[in-house]
Amino acid sequence: MKKAISITVKLLVILPLSVLLVAGIFYVRTKIYRFPVEMPFSGSEYYNPYRKITDHKLKGNLHAHGYSWGGLTNGHDEPEKIYEFYENNGYEVVGISNYHRVDKTSCASTSLKMPVYEHGYNLLKSHNLAINPTKISFFDYPLWQMTSHKQHVIDKMKDNDAKVVIAHPKLFNSKTSYDLSKLCNYDFIEVFNHYYDSEEPWDRALSAGRVVWGLSSDDIHALSDEPVCKRWNVIYAGEKSIEGVMDAMDSGTFYMVKSQDGEFDNDLKSCRVVDDVLTVAFKRKLDHIRLKGKQGVLLKEVRDTNAVSYNITPCDTYVRTVASTGSDQLLLNPVIKSFSSDIKPEFSLTPEVNQTATWLFRIGTIIFMVAQAFLIRLVIKRL
C-alpha cells in the first residue's frame, strides 16, 4: 500500500514537470521586443471613416463557433445551421471562426461567408481572430505570455496576410490595457463580446496612437444556450464580397451595435467634420449621445436628441461616439487627427527585437528545461 502511494505521489510530481519541460520547447523561440513609444495621433486634419457613407449596408458577425475538430473544440452546431440561423435574422455577412480552422462549408445560405478563424490554445485565453488569412498559423505560447510573446504571435499571423482582431481582451485579462498600448500591427479590438465589453482597453490603444477599429461579436458556441444575434456590425461595403467587406473594415467604415433583444431601430444618418466641428446625426432620437476622447474622457453628452456637435480642440487626438437607448448601444469608430482627411493614418513604427534580452531569455529557458529533465530523472530513479 505504501509503495502504491509513493508511486502515485511521484507520478503526480513527474506530470507537471513533464508539462513544463514540453512547454519549454515553445518558449525557447521567444523574442523580446523593444516597443515603440506612445505616439498620439497628430496633424492638422481629421480622418473621418464615415465621410462617404451610402445607404448600402451589410449586417455582420465574424465570431461564432460551430462543430469542428471532431468535437474536441467548443462548438456544438453544424456550420449549415449557423449560417441559416444568422441569415434568417437579417445577417448578410457571417464568419464561423473555429479554432485554427477556416470553415469552407458549402450550403444554401446566401450570406457572405467570411474566411476567419480564432487563433490561440494557451491557458489564459489570449486569443485573436484572423480575418481572410492566406493560411493558418499554429504558432502560440501555451502557458503564460508576456507582452513580447503576444506580439510574436501577432507577427506570425500577419505573415499570413491576416487582419488581426484582439479577441475578448478582458476575458481572464488576457490582453491588458498596457499590452494594447504597446502591441503593434493588429487591426481591430473586440469592444463588444458577450463575455465582456472592452471600451477602456480600446481607448488605451487609441490614446497610444494605435490605429485600431472596434468590433462587435456574438462569440457564440451554441445557438440554443447563448445570447445569439445580440451583437453585430453594420458595414458600409461597396459590394457584397469579401473584398468589399475587407475594404470597408480596413477603412473603419462600419459601426458596432449591442442590443438586449437583438433589435436596434436606429441608424447613423451622417458624421461630418467641417472647420474642426464634428457633427454626428442619427435617424431617430436616442436617450444619450456621448463623445469620448483620449483615455476615454467624456467630452460632451446630450440627451433625448438625434444629433450632437462638438468643437474639436487641439488637445483632442481622437473623438468617438457612443449612442445609447436604454441598455442598447451603438459605437462609431473614432474620428482621428491626421495629416490627411482622405487617407487612414498608419502607425509606422514597429517593435525591434532586443537581441541581448532575447538570447538571455532563451538561455534561461534551456537551463530551466535541463533542470526539469534532471528532476524528472531523479524522481524516476527513486520510483
Side-chain angles (χ1 to χ4, degrees), residues 128-148:
N128 305 310
L129 299 182
I131 304 176
N132 201 29
T134 54
K135 64 179 181 178
I136 294 172
S137 170
F138 289 90
F139 183 89
D140 203 6
Y141 293 97
L143 302 179
W144 61 278
Q145 293 187 2
M146 300 188 302
T147 307
S148 285

Side-chain angles (χ1 to χ4, degrees), residues 234-251:
V234 176
I235 306 165
Y236 293 92
E239 59 182 29
K240 188 178 175 181
S241 66
I242 292 173
E243 293 75 17
V245 169
M246 292 306 301
D247 286 346
M249 292 186 65
D250 186 57
S251 64

Side-chain angles (χ1 to χ4, degrees), residues 278-290:
L278 169 66
T279 303
V280 182
F282 297 90
K283 293 187 176 178
R284 295 172 184 83
K285 285 185 179 182
L286 297 120
D287 291 350
H288 301 270
I289 305 176
R290 300 178 177 93

